[in-house]
Amino acid sequence: MKHSARYPVSAALLRRLAYASIIANVAIVVTGGAVRLTASGLGCPTWPRCTDASYVATQEMGVHGAIEFGNRLLTFAVGIIALAVAVGVLLHRPRRRGLLPLAVAVLFGIPAQAVIGGVTVLTNLNPWVVGLHFLASMVVIGLAYALWRRIGEPDGPTVPTVPAPLRALALLTTVVSAAVLVIGTWVTGSGPHAGDQGAARNGLDPEAISQVHADGVFLLIGLSVALIFAFRAVGARRAERAAVVLVAVELGQGVIGFVQYFTHLPAVLVGAHMLGSCLVLLATLAVQWSTRERHPTPVTPTPTAPDAAPAAPIPTAA
């Protein structure tokens, strides 16, 4: 008996592992925000070591060193979960096509994201690199979500559940949501929470770029509300529910954004806004998934052997 057959991984366990991967990647975004919001971005002033002489934070580095090093340790925990998912995909029976590429992408996305994090330290928290670090995490979260959804689907062909114009509207909403995330990193790069008192800012006018960000949010909410009514008009209840959740998340995120702006960006609200960004991404992807579904693979009947031809008559003598 093969070793992998002795230790099968059920679909239920595999999906729980994938869900844990989503949560872990969202958590590291929030803790990464805590590093920046506590001005601990250079708590470990170099990378991959914490200092030139040590891989770990020392007592002399104080609380900032402990916070930054703790976030680095969390990266290993997130990577271990991703590795468990990839191993689970390999051990799962029957073998599912399409799962392994997503699992590998998540697994290798985590060290790639960590390298970008190291570059942020080596560039003294360059705001453009810090923004890229955040966006890389968003990509990994998206891949982890895709894997989680794919595990719960059959392996048959994808079938649309809404008309083509509504699928195009959902895709446009996803693109605008991604643009809002990108512009949000520009707003952050122009603001006061640089991660260290000596870190540079991106030079954009905070009020002007915040207005651009707000305009993008208004557009996103408008598109999302349009999706609710459009899905309702065609009777796509599952898609309609996903769009309602998206609008609720967007409104909550918008309230946090406006309050933090008018209260001069308190650290607690900025951290909540980062968590909200992850939730908006996940809710947007949920809408995208609701516009299609996979059917089980059709079972092709096994062809039966044709009936034997009748035996040729035996010639007889004249």
Side-chain angles (χ1 to χ4, degrees), residues 8 26 37 47 54 92 97 116 148 159 165 231 265 270 278 305:
V26 170
L37 295 170
W47 189 87
S54 174
H92 179 63
R97 60 184 175 86
I116 298 173
W148 176 70
V159 178
F231 290 151
L265 303 175
V270 174
C278 298

Side-chain angles (χ1 to χ4, degrees), residues 49-109:
R49 295 174 182 263
C50 193
T51 69
D52 290 335
S54 174
Y55 279 100
V56 301
T58 62
Q59 187 174 0
E60 292 76 13
M61 299 173 68
V63 65
H64 294 309
I67 292 173
E68 163 65 6
F69 183 67
N71 189 62
R72 293 188 183 189
L73 286 181
L74 184 59
T75 301
F76 288 98
V78 177
I80 289 172
I81 295 174
L83 178 61
V85 175
V87 172
V89 167
L90 290 173
L91 296 181
H92 179 63
R93 293 294 182 274
R95 185 68 63 84
R96 298 279 308 280
R97 60 184 175 86
L99 297 187
L100 188 59
L102 286 170
V104 170
V106 173
L107 179 61
F108 282 92

